[in-house]
Amino acid sequence: MTFKKNLDIEAILEAMSRDHLVLFVGAGISANSNLPSWMGLIKEFAVGLGINREVNSDDFLKIPQYFYNQRGKNEYFKKIMEIFDTSVSPNLLHDYILRFKPRHIITTNYDNLIEQAIEKHFMFYDTVKEDIDLPYSSNGRMLIKMHGDLKRKNIVLKEDDYLNYSTNFKLIESYIKSIFINNTVLFVGYSLQDYDLKLIMKNVQGILGEHFQKAYLVDSSDNSRLSVEKEYFRNLGVNVIDKFDIPNKYLDKEFPELKSSQGKNVVKILDYIFQYKESDQNPLDSCYEKLQAFNSLNTIRVKDLVNLFDIDNYFIEKGGKLKLFPSKDETYHSDLLEHLNTIKQSYEQQDWEIKRKYDFIKFTFAKTRLSEMSVGKQSFTFDFSYNNEPRIIKDILLNDYFSVNLVAKQDYKMINDFENKIINELMRAYAKYLVNQFVSAFEILEKISLESYRNKDFILLYIIEFNKRYLIRKLKRNTGVQTVISLNDLGESVFIEQITKIIETYEHSNLKINDVYEMLAQKDKDKVKFIHDLLQEQGYVSQQLLRIKELTEKVTKDLNTRFDSPNSTSVNNMVSNVHEFFDYTHNNFIMVDQYSEVKEYYYSYIKSLLSTYSVKVKSEVQTTQDSLFSGFFLHRLPNHSFSRKDVIIIMKYLDCKKLNEIFEEYDINEIEISFPSIHLKGLFSNLITSYLEIYYTIGLREILKNMLCLFGKIKIDPQDLNELIDDMLRLLSSGYVEHDIYFTLLKFLYDQKQNDKLESPLIAKLTIAFINKLLDYKHNGHQGGFELDALNNNNYIQGLINLINQSEYENFSIELDIEKLIISIEHGNLSNNKRSILLQVLIPLYRFMGPVDQKSVKLILEEFLLQNFEVKIYGAACEAGVLQSTEYFEGKLFLKIQQTKNKVENSSMKSYPDPLISELGVLVLLLRHNKINNKDPFTKFIGTDDFYDLVIQENNFDFQKFNLDWFPYLSEDEIKKILSSSSNKEILRKKFVKSLVEDELGYQIKKFYLDYFEI
């Protein structure tokens, strides 16, 4: 495959891309709107003078001068106005001229066709018709009518006009000459014999000599020019492009809008110039040049890639196969794929330069995670194995924030992960950001921002400036009066004054990224436009939020639809979209993690994936024989199998509470993962190591809670679970563990218990670790501690004990230094927390102690109750078998509850929870478990609480007061006893029916109705 390069066209396109292209428009353009050419205009004057001979170029200035001299000024302009007084509109050539978006348009035409075309396309050019207009041009783009305007009657046509031009158009002439210094000029609508063309070039050459940009001329001639003619103009500084320079397929195009062959020749040449990059240039070179725009990125969005190649229609199949659908007559993309396949098949025989460009193209396409690209039947497979995840992003995907922190801390060690030094430092700044070292991250960005600006690496400059803006927002906090971030929220030691200075310096900075963009050349603007649009005030994030809402609606719709394939397009599209966003922002070190919109985005994603578990019946349905698609099996959406990246997203971005709410909403007991559970152990181990080693743990605490919440719903191999608990014990034994982590750990253990994966030795290990930590003065003392919080807020020890099967009680072995614990609450660091330790530790563990320890606990409890009787502790002690109910203690119990009742009744303030109801709740448990010897005194409290009345009155209870919500709290024996009375059963049946009709019952209560009333 051979390709023809046209250096002249490439120079024009290069100037166009840099916004350095200026167009000179001659009479040949207006001629295609039925206005006379210069020759035609001169002939009109010749007829008026009675000149019948053939007019030539030597007459062009003389004949209008003869007419002016003979007829005078009025008749001269009257004649011109008669010639041009016709209703004309811009033609196709005007449209093509404006497609160039030239910096300036300079014309020797007097008509207003170009102005009409500019208005038609809603473009903005200041029109300059005489010198006085030039200073008032403020737009930066001008239409300069260098030969005047008909309405102003200052046209340049006759000989005197040309001789006096430097006087009459002094400013315009000087400005036009200056344009040739650093702009590329393209002449359109001029012939090679055009006097104006030669005059302009001679004047410029006379001033600048050879020190001006080469100009180009589109020749409209049907005939090939002699080489001597082209050489003449080349010496004038003008390279000629004619129809013989373009391929036949462009010459064969039809343009019926134009009548003259010259006009058609011009539009064919202009059309080819626009198509050149995607046609006859070597597609390997063209593709290589285009992809340079992505050189500073580690991950590329497919959307940006196809936009760069001007493709509107495309589709990504499963497996990363990109299908392109260009316009019918566009062959660039298929030529590119054919060329790549040719190189691939003969790679070893290619020269070094081709190999370099070919490898770069494959390397760049690998950044999109695409595996294949196809156009029609032509396809190319990207078999280049490239992992575009930077080192610290791999660490994030492994939960290894310890390694991320090492990168953040190594301020004086060179990072050489990338060839580009700026990207290495950007990665270091991103590592600091991940561990909340916002100040030092900003300082690095400030340094490399200037460096990327000097290097004109505008992609990196955009990312750096976006990150700086984000960090400033993190460092600032507005609460009516501007203050700065709390130092407790930072993972580094800094002074408030240092933060304040950074904020002030940034806000007075001269570097404004949008201003930089506006000052770029058009070529550079085109390269960075995608990142400019992307990072405009969370533009990318806002786009993604809208997109996830669309995809969520599709998934919701698909939940109730059956498909001919078990794979869901809506779910696959969502996964692909979100993973691309994750990869793009992380791999390119874009700091968006902590935006609330980003967390909302990932929440919507995870909730949609979990919604697939809401459809409990997944059975196939076969279509009937008489249907159009008879014999097909239709499927429901399968439960989504979560990848490692999905798991990381849950851990990083979701809230544990919201995650549990989703599990409850969709009644999810177990979720599926697409990787071995042994990897969960690695994720957990890495996080625990990070938690213990890193100064800033607030973010890691949330990840740990989310991890425990999620892992509770995953089937974990028993051996992996043992090792996971061992890792947790590393943290529990030595690190600071907030009470909410203890609570989440309990939830995780309960979930694993449902899967029968939890063994009692693990419970023993956790209990021992907790008690030892409790006794450690460094963690818990007179002022409190996290373990004490876990006891008071979460009833942690009782929660652990509830995980043990009653059948395992006798064999449950736990070695605790109870004597040390008792000494600690009597005289040591836990003396201020004696009540909590008795209630939350010693009583629950009593049944697992040896006789000596049990005796010690019993004595201390009796002593405590004698000094300060407390209903809750007494009830717990009786329930656990520490104490036996006696007449003395029952009397104390009655008096205490009576005192509380009197206090409540005499108080005008209501407390929550109601202390009387709480104490009656303890009494209810004792009554139900036969721990009260004499119930009679306690009948005095009948009428205070309906549930209490049910328990103490038994058969005398008025079942019209029975609340159906009590069923889950009653034992099976208690329910059977109640329902043994036919009258009771009938009353409750009617209550159920009424509530069912009014739809007031939850699923669990409805189940009781089905179990006991629908038999």
Side-chain angles (χ1 to χ4, degrees):
M1 185 180 295
T2 57
F3 301 95
K4 178 182 177 183
K5 289 176 71 69
N6 189 311
L7 298 179
D8 293 341
I9 290 176
E10 288 183 17
I12 293 168
L13 290 171
E14 172 71 12
M16 179 182 169
S17 70
R18 294 192 175 280
D19 198 22
H20 283 183
L21 182 65
V22 175
L23 259 65
F24 272 70
V25 179
I29 301 302
S30 297
N32 284 273
S33 291
N34 296 321
L35 286 177
S37 63
W38 196 0
M39 174 68 81
L41 180 59
I42 300 306
K43 284 182 178 179
E44 291 283 345
F45 279 107
V47 171
L49 291 171
I51 299 174
N52 297 320
R53 62 177 173 79
E54 190 70 25
V55 176
N56 57 52
S57 59
D58 292 336
D59 298 318
F60 279 11
L61 305 186
K62 292 178 180 178
I63 289 178
Q65 188 67 51
Y66 296 157
F67 193 97
Y68 184 89
N69 293 341
Q70 190 178 94
R71 303 288 180 88
K73 181 177 180 179
N74 286 340
E75 279 200 45
Y76 173 75
F77 277 105
K78 182 179 179 181
K79 181 67 175 176
I80 293 173
M81 297 304 291
E82 285 176 359
I83 296 171
F84 284 93
D85 187 18
T86 178
S87 179
V88 291
S89 300
N91 59 66
L92 185 62
L93 288 169
H94 289 98
D95 295 336
Y96 268 83
I97 286 169
L98 292 178
R99 276 183 65 186
F100 281 100
K101 298 177 183 177
R103 187 175 186 84
H104 302 300
I105 302 171
I106 301 173
T107 182
T108 49
N109 300 339
Y110 323 125
D111 58 71
N112 69 347
L113 287 172
I114 299 177
E115 290 99 311
Q116 290 184 52
I118 288 170
E119 287 186 1
K120 172 185 171 183
H121 292 280
F122 295 97
M123 299 177 78
F124 297 93
Y125 285 84
D126 291 333
T127 303
V128 176
K129 300 175 182 179
E130 55 185 317
D131 279 359
I132 197 169
D133 295 332
L134 201 56
Y136 295 98
S137 174
S138 59
N139 187 32
R141 293 181 182 275
M142 291 182 284
L143 165 63
I144 301 176
K145 304 185 83 168
M146 64 177 291
H147 280 185
D149 181 80
L150 284 172
K151 291 183 179 180
R152 297 272 180 100
K153 294 185 178 181
N154 64 339
I155 65 173
V156 177
L157 177 61
K158 60 188 188 299
E159 190 175 59
D160 284 350
D161 298 330
Y162 280 90
L163 293 173
N164 297 322
Y165 187 82
S166 294
T167 301
N168 296 334
F169 292 88
K170 191 172 185 177
L171 282 179
I172 289 177
E173 182 183 42
S174 298
Y175 188 82
I176 290 174
K177 289 176 181 177
S178 71
I179 282 174
F180 283 84
I181 297 173
N182 53 12
N183 292 282
T184 297
V185 171
L186 175 63
F187 290 94
V188 183
Y190 295 91
S191 72
L192 296 190
Q193 289 76 35
D194 198 301
Y195 179 81
D196 284 336
L197 171 65
K198 296 175 183 177
L199 186 62
I200 291 167
M201 296 310 300
K202 282 289 186 181
N203 283 337
V204 171
Q205 198 175 48
I207 296 173
L208 299 175
E210 296 179 356
H211 305 291
F212 65 92
Q213 298 283 335
K214 192 68 105 172
Y216 303 89
L217 179 140
V218 174
D219 185 11
S220 63
S221 176
D222 287 321
N223 302 315
S224 177
R225 298 290 184 180
L226 296 173
S227 59
V228 67
E229 289 182 277
K230 289 189 174 183
E231 186 63 28
Y232 170 78
F233 278 94
R234 198 172 289 119
N235 290 333
L236 279 178
V238 180
N239 286 4
V240 177
I241 304 171
D242 58 29
K243 74 174 191 176
F244 302 100
D245 291 315
I246 69 175
N248 288 333
K249 66 179 179 180
Y250 291 93
L251 289 176
D252 294 338
K253 281 189 176 183
E254 295 293 332
F255 293 96
E257 303 95 324
L258 301 175
K259 295 179 180 178
S260 73
S261 62
Q262 288 85 0
K264 290 182 178 183
N265 290 340
V266 171
V267 80
K268 288 174 183 179
I269 295 168
L270 296 181
D271 182 61
Y272 173 61
I273 290 174
F274 285 117
Q275 299 296 326
Y276 173 79
K277 279 275 184 177
E278 284 75 33
S279 59
D280 293 276
Q281 184 189 14
N282 184 330
L284 184 75
D285 294 338
S286 172
C287 182
Y288 175 79
E289 289 174 14
K290 283 178 178 289
L291 294 181
Q292 294 298 318
F294 301 126
N295 200 27
S296 297
L297 296 176
N298 296 313
T299 293
I300 303 168
R301 297 193 309 167
V302 174
K303 179 181 178 180
D304 296 328
L305 184 74
V306 295
N307 284 346
L308 190 71
F309 285 95
D310 297 323
I311 293 289
D312 294 324
N313 299 315
Y314 66 95
F315 180 74
I316 303 174
E317 290 185 338
K318 191 174 182 181
K321 296 180 179 180
L322 175 65
K323 287 186 172 292
L324 302 179
F325 303 98
S327 58
K328 288 184 179 179
D329 56 351
E330 198 280 304
T331 62
Y332 168 76
H333 301 91
S334 56
D335 290 345
L336 171 63
L337 298 187
E338 181 184 355
H339 195 50
L340 291 174
N341 278 317
T342 300
I343 297 172
K344 181 179 180 180
Q345 292 164 9
S346 57
Y347 181 81
E348 294 303 325
Q349 287 74 48
Q350 301 294 333
D351 63 39
W352 177 85
E353 184 65 12
I354 290 177
K355 285 181 180 179
R356 184 179 69 84
K357 292 180 178 179
Y358 174 81
D359 289 341
F360 175 81
I361 291 171
K362 286 205 305 177
F363 176 78
T364 305
F365 271 96
K367 294 180 180 181
T368 64
R369 300 294 179 89
L370 291 172
S371 62
E372 181 181 292
M373 179 191 288
S374 64
V375 179
K377 296 180 180 179
Q378 190 70 253
S379 65
F380 180 76
T381 302
F382 297 101
D383 54 1
F384 188 89
S385 61
Y386 166 63
N387 189 335
N388 61 344
E389 288 170 349
R391 176 174 26 131
I392 62 170
I393 306 306
K394 291 177 183 176
D395 293 335
I396 290 173
L397 293 172
L398 293 172
N399 259 357
D400 186 5
Y401 288 89
F402 174 69
S403 294
V404 173
N405 194 51
L406 285 179
V407 175
K409 290 196 315 184
Q410 294 170 353
D411 290 319
Y412 302 104
K413 182 178 179 181
M414 291 288 292
I415 297 176
N416 298 306
D417 292 44
F418 303 96
E419 291 182 8
N420 189 325
K421 185 176 72 172
I422 297 176
I423 300 179
N424 287 321
E425 289 305 301
L426 177 59
M427 184 176 79
R428 192 196 304 275
Y430 194 75
K432 288 181 177 292
Y433 152 75
L434 289 172
V435 292
N436 273 42
Q437 295 177 16
F438 299 145
V439 171
S440 50
F442 183 89
E443 289 171 345
I444 292 173
L445 294 177
E446 186 83 338
K447 179 181 176 182
I448 61 176
S449 173
L450 186 58
E451 196 170 345
S452 61
Y453 174 77
R454 288 169 177 164
N455 295 345
K456 296 186 177 180
D457 196 334
F458 298 116
I459 299 292
L460 285 180
L461 181 62
Y462 259 95
I463 293 173
I464 291 165
E465 287 301 311
F466 177 88
N467 289 346
K468 283 170 61 181
R469 182 175 64 198
Y470 169 78
L471 289 176
I472 288 294
R473 289 180 179 176
K474 290 296 293 182
L475 292 173
K476 287 169 62 175
R477 186 178 61 199
N478 292 307
T479 54
V481 178
Q482 180 176 297
T483 58
V484 298
I485 191 171
S486 168
L487 296 183
N488 293 329
D489 293 333
L490 289 175
E492 59 188 336
S493 299
V494 293
F495 294 104
I496 291 290
E497 293 78 11
Q498 186 179 356
I499 298 175
T500 303
K501 184 176 180 181
I502 285 174
I503 294 170
E504 290 175 352
T505 303
Y506 176 81
E507 291 179 341
H508 292 91
S509 169
N510 292 324
L511 180 58
K512 305 298 180 187
I513 191 64
N514 288 338
D515 294 341
V516 172
Y517 177 77
E518 292 304 324
M519 293 176 66
L520 294 178
Q522 190 59 47
K523 180 178 181 179
D524 293 324
K525 276 187 180 179
D526 291 342
K527 285 182 179 180
V528 302
K529 186 179 186 303
F530 73 95
I531 200 85
H532 170 77
D533 295 342
L534 208 60
L535 300 183
Q536 288 295 305
E537 288 295 327
Q538 303 178 33
Y540 188 21
V541 176
S542 300
Q543 291 171 22
Q544 289 301 109
L545 264 178
L546 292 174
R547 179 65 175 148
I548 201 71
K549 287 177 182 176
E550 294 173 5
L551 292 169
T552 297
E553 289 173 1
K554 290 180 181 179
V555 172
T556 303
K557 182 179 178 182
D558 287 353
L559 288 174
N560 299 311
T561 308
R562 292 188 182 274
F563 301 90
D564 58 357
S565 167
N567 294 317
S568 162
T569 301
S570 60
V571 172
N572 289 339
N573 286 346
M574 177 178 280
V575 171
S576 175
N577 187 273
V578 172
H579 284 192
E580 182 185 66
F581 176 77
F582 182 94
D583 293 340
Y584 191 84
T585 54
H586 282 77
N587 296 344
N588 294 321
F589 310 125
I590 300 173
M591 299 175 184
V592 296
D593 276 34
Q594 298 183 42
Y595 276 120
S596 59
E597 293 87 350
V598 171
K599 294 183 178 181
E600 179 186 349
Y601 170 77
Y602 284 124
Y603 171 80
S604 298
Y605 168 63
I606 296 300
K607 185 172 183 181
S608 286
L609 296 185
L610 288 171
S611 71
T612 61
Y613 289 77
S614 65
V615 181
K616 303 302 179 184
V617 180
K618 304 285 187 179
S619 58
E620 297 176 333
V621 174
Q622 190 171 13
T623 55
T624 58
Q625 291 298 319
D626 58 350
S627 69
L628 181 61
F629 301 101
S630 61
F632 280 88
F633 284 96
L634 300 180
H635 308 261
R636 292 283 194 191
L637 278 186
N639 292 340
H640 178 72
S641 185
F642 285 77
S643 67
R644 280 185 57 167
K645 191 165 289 179
D646 294 331
V647 168
I648 293 295
I649 287 171
I650 291 173
M651 292 188 294
K652 276 196 73 179
Y653 298 104
L654 264 67
D655 175 81
C656 184
K657 182 180 177 182
K658 288 186 176 181
L659 187 58
N660 274 319
E661 288 173 355
I662 299 173
F663 289 148
E664 290 176 12
E665 180 180 348
Y666 298 133
D667 191 26
I668 299 173
N669 294 319
E670 181 183 330
I671 66 170
E672 301 167 16
I673 56 175
S674 60
F675 55 94
S677 70
I678 191 173
H679 292 172
L680 299 177
K681 183 188 70 174
L683 292 174
F684 197 83
S685 180
N686 288 340
L687 186 68
I688 297 300
T689 300
S690 302
Y691 200 101
L692 291 170
E693 298 293 336
I694 296 178
Y695 171 76
Y696 176 79
T697 60
I698 295 176
L700 298 182
R701 183 175 74 219
E702 297 306 312
I703 293 175
L704 178 57
K705 286 162 56 180
N706 291 340
M707 181 181 284
L708 290 169
C709 180
L710 174 65
F711 283 15
K713 300 297 182 182
I714 300 174
K715 272 190 176 180
I716 301 177
D717 181 86
Q719 179 60 35
D720 294 336
L721 182 60
N722 281 328
E723 294 183 24
L724 189 146
I725 295 297
D726 285 341
D727 276 316
M728 191 69 198
L729 287 169
R730 281 200 292 138
L731 176 61
L732 298 180
S733 299
S734 57
Y736 288 95
V737 181
E738 291 81 348
H739 73 87
D740 52 353
I741 291 180
Y742 281 113
F743 173 78
T744 312
L745 175 60
L746 276 180
K747 182 73 171 59
F748 162 75
L749 295 171
Y750 273 90
D751 287 335
Q752 288 298 319
K753 180 69 175 178
Q754 289 185 350
N755 296 327
D756 295 325
K757 301 293 183 183
L758 203 60
E759 299 172 351
S760 57
L762 291 178
I763 307 302
K765 286 182 179 180
L766 290 167
T767 305
I768 293 169
F770 184 86
I771 300 300
N772 290 338
K773 190 86 164 288
L774 193 64
L775 289 166
D776 188 341
Y777 187 83
K778 183 176 73 172
H779 294 282
N780 298 276
H782 296 300
Q783 303 303 318
F786 291 134
E787 281 65 39
L788 287 167
D789 290 342
L791 289 177
N792 295 323
N793 296 318
N794 306 323
N795 205 357
Y796 180 73
I797 292 296
Q798 186 62 59
L800 289 177
I801 291 170
N802 291 342
L803 290 165
I804 307 169
N805 295 325
Q806 289 190 3
S807 59
E808 297 180 299
Y809 277 0
E810 291 185 8
N811 298 322
F812 185 70
S813 175
I814 183 167
E815 296 181 4
L816 292 171
D817 192 343
I818 298 300
E819 182 180 356
K820 183 177 180 181
L821 189 56
I822 290 174
I823 293 172
S824 183
I825 62 174
E826 291 280 46
H827 312 290
N829 62 303
L830 298 176
S831 57
N832 288 346
N833 299 281
K834 184 174 183 178
R835 177 190 176 278
S836 295
I837 303 301
L838 285 172
L839 181 63
Q840 307 288 359
V841 179
L842 293 175
I843 291 175
L845 292 175
Y846 178 82
R847 61 170 56 94
F848 308 114
M849 298 177 187
V852 175
D853 289 337
Q854 285 185 339
K855 184 178 179 181
S856 298
V857 170
K858 184 175 182 179
L859 286 172
I860 195 173
L861 265 170
E862 287 177 340
E863 180 184 342
F864 181 86
L865 291 171
L866 286 171
Q867 293 176 358
N868 182 25
F869 186 87
E870 188 175 324
V871 172
K872 191 171 185 179
I873 289 182
Y874 174 73
C878 289
E879 282 289 305
V882 182
L883 300 177
Q884 300 296 319
S885 186
T886 64
E887 183 179 348
Y888 172 78
F889 277 126
E890 285 187 9
K892 297 278 283 186
L893 177 63
F894 173 79
L895 288 174
K896 183 65 176 175
I897 296 175
Q898 182 62 54
Q899 288 173 3
T900 303
K901 185 174 185 292
N902 294 337
K903 187 176 180 181
V904 169
E905 289 175 349
N906 294 328
S907 174
S908 60
M909 301 288 291
K910 287 189 176 182
S911 301
Y912 183 84
D914 188 322
L916 178 58
I917 299 302
S918 298
E919 290 184 353
L920 288 178
V922 173
L923 184 53
V924 163
L925 284 175
L926 295 174
L927 289 167
R928 290 173 67 190
H929 297 154
N930 297 316
K931 301 291 185 180
I932 298 295
N933 295 324
N934 182 12
K935 295 193 295 184
D936 291 342
F938 299 102
T939 57
K940 185 175 181 180
F941 304 124
I942 291 175
T944 305
D945 179 75
D946 288 342
F947 190 73
Y948 175 78
D949 294 350
L950 170 70
V951 173
I952 199 165
Q953 287 184 299
E954 297 184 353
N955 295 331
N956 296 323
F957 178 69
D958 179 5
F959 277 87
Q960 293 294 347
K961 298 179 180 179
F962 190 94
N963 189 328
L964 298 180
D965 290 334
W966 293 345
F967 269 104
Y969 303 101
L970 297 172
S971 67
E972 188 172 350
D973 289 339
E974 287 173 322
I975 294 173
K976 287 180 178 179
K977 184 177 180 180
I978 291 170
L979 298 181
S980 64
S981 166
S982 59
S983 61
N984 292 347
K985 187 171 184 178
E986 181 60 21
I987 291 171
L988 297 182
R989 188 189 68 78
K990 288 180 179 179
K991 281 179 170 285
F992 265 116
V993 171
K994 182 176 181 297
S995 297
L996 286 168
V997 169
E998 295 174 358
D999 195 23
E1000 295 176 345
L1001 297 180
Y1003 171 78
Q1004 191 177 15
I1005 306 301
K1006 287 179 183 177
K1007 193 172 184 304
F1008 279 101
Y1009 175 75
L1010 296 173
D1011 290 344
Y1012 292 101
F1013 293 87
E1014 290 291 320
I1015 300 175

